[in-house]
Amino acid sequence: MTSSSDAEANFKVVESFCKESQSEGVQLLCLPECFAFLGLGAQESIVFSQKLDGPLMSRYCTLAKTYALYISFGGFQENITDKKVCNAHVIVSPEGTIVDVYRKIHLFDVDVPNGMKFKESSFTQPGDKVVLSETPVGKLGVTVCYDLRFPELYGVLRRMGAEILLIPAAFTLKTGIAHWSVLLRARAIETQCFVLAAAQVGKHNVQRYRNETTKPPRESYGDACIIDPWGTVIARATVGKPGLVIAKLDLGLLSSIRTSMPTASHRRPDVYYAANSDKGRARDGAAQKATL
């Protein structure tokens, strides 16, 4: 998807995906981060933001009901205050009901060498809860974009029972080229889960950037894909183009992989936490000596 600051145009694109999904027999449709709006800066996101029971999200919920789909709305600007939003990943049932909401925990505050600078925390309030959404499609580990770089979160989701990891994103071009695919495959392999990675792709708001700024348009990496628990990419988007990526998920394969290579039962938290505790004690001891 290539979202823009035209919220109505974005809605029409999502509706077209819903229609196509229904005709293809899809049960779960996953949309990328910023599916409803992607503007030129933080202030535009704040102005655009709405409550989850507001008119725009209600329209999106109606799409789920109309087309009888579970929909992962992968990153909506949820209004919190007049200065802050939450990056909310909303799971909606085929009845049009919001069944789970995950608010992005890890915020994208980076200065990419020879690339973009971005400070998501300047306008976004981080979440504080890990969310597993239990649906007839499977047990969904719900995350957003930059979370991908924090394997601890996905380990927790696996131990909570996750079978499918949802990782919607608007990855930058530079970081996407370097890290997107390898991180997605790593999360699939280490958790032995399916990964569904919806993505923004291409240049956004080209005409507005040309008319209103001297900056080049924001560009997203794309490469939406579906990965199985062995780390195999089983479906992938056409390079550089928006569109649906469809695959059938065989949870029997997941069970087989977890049985033949039972890594979850081989974890040694007793050793990991002991090592961390020992390191902490050693650090405290050094601090005490330094103050004597």
Side-chain angles (χ1 to χ4, degrees):
M1 187 171 179
T2 308
S3 294
S4 71
S5 57
D6 186 336
E8 189 59 31
N10 296 333
F11 183 86
K12 289 178 180 176
V13 170
V14 171
E15 184 169 27
S16 72
F17 288 153
C18 290
K19 289 179 180 177
E20 186 178 351
S21 295
Q22 186 185 56
S23 69
E24 293 285 348
V26 167
Q27 293 177 283
L28 170 65
L29 171 63
C30 298
L31 299 169
E33 185 181 28
C34 303
F35 66 92
F37 181 86
L38 205 161
L40 270 61
Q43 188 58 36
E44 289 192 4
S45 291
I46 294 169
V47 171
F48 165 80
S49 67
Q50 293 187 16
K51 301 292 185 182
L52 296 186
D53 60 358
L56 186 55
M57 183 50 71
S58 295
R59 287 182 71 198
Y60 277 110
C61 288
T62 298
L63 290 180
K65 184 175 183 179
T66 300
Y67 295 99
L69 296 166
Y70 268 94
I71 302 182
S72 151
F73 292 102
F76 182 78
Q77 293 90 341
E78 178 190 12
N79 179 263
I80 300 299
T81 71
D82 59 356
K83 294 182 179 179
K84 292 277 187 174
V85 303
C86 271
N87 194 336
H89 185 163
V90 184
I91 306 298
V92 177
S93 74
E95 291 72 42
T97 302
I98 294 175
V99 293
D100 282 299
V101 179
Y102 165 77
R103 295 173 174 90
K104 188 178 180 186
I105 293 171
H106 304 102
L107 301 184
F108 188 58
D109 288 2
V110 298
D111 185 350
V112 180
N114 301 313
M116 71 175 296
K117 296 180 181 180
F118 197 83
K119 193 172 179 64
E120 190 176 16
S121 65
S122 68
F123 65 98
T124 305
Q125 181 174 302
D128 59 5
K129 290 182 174 62
V130 179
V131 174
L132 181 78
S133 186
E134 298 196 27
T135 74
V137 178
K139 296 177 182 178
L140 312 176
V142 190
T143 69
V144 178
C145 198
Y146 189 54
D147 287 331
L148 176 60
R149 295 183 180 274
F150 301 88
E152 299 93 336
L153 172 59
Y154 297 93
V156 169
L157 285 166
R158 164 67 200 270
R159 292 190 288 279
M160 289 171 68
E163 299 166 325
I164 302 166
L165 303 177
L166 306 183
I167 311 178
F171 248 59
T172 67
L173 184 63
K174 188 178 184 70
T175 57
I177 290 169
H179 301 149
W180 172 250
S181 182
V182 68
L183 286 172
L184 289 173
R185 293 187 65 229
R187 297 298 86 87
I189 294 165
E190 68 198 8
T191 62
Q192 299 175 318
C193 287
F194 284 96
V195 166
L196 309 186
Q200 292 285 348
V201 63
K203 295 179 180 180
H204 308 274
N205 299 301
V206 173
Q207 198 61 45
R208 285 195 62 200
Y209 271 96
R210 185 177 297 138
N211 295 340
E212 301 174 32
T213 79
T214 58
K215 299 177 181 178
R218 174 173 172 172
E219 187 170 3
S220 297
Y221 177 63
D223 193 28
C225 59
I226 300 172
I227 303 172
D228 75 15
W230 193 248
T232 302
V233 178
I234 58 175
R236 181 166 248 151
T238 303
V239 176
K241 293 184 178 180
L244 283 185
V245 180
I246 300 174
K248 184 175 181 179
L249 306 188
D250 178 5
L251 295 183
L253 172 65
L254 179 146
S255 179
S256 174
I257 289 171
R258 291 182 177 184
T259 299
S260 61
M261 190 177 289
T263 55
S265 64
H266 296 158
R267 292 181 64 253
R268 290 294 308 277
D270 56 323
V271 176
Y272 313 150
Y273 300 144
N276 190 54
S277 178
D278 290 344
K279 185 177 181 180
R281 283 196 293 269
R283 198 166 45 235
D284 291 344
Q288 289 174 4
K289 289 179 182 178
T291 57
L292 291 175

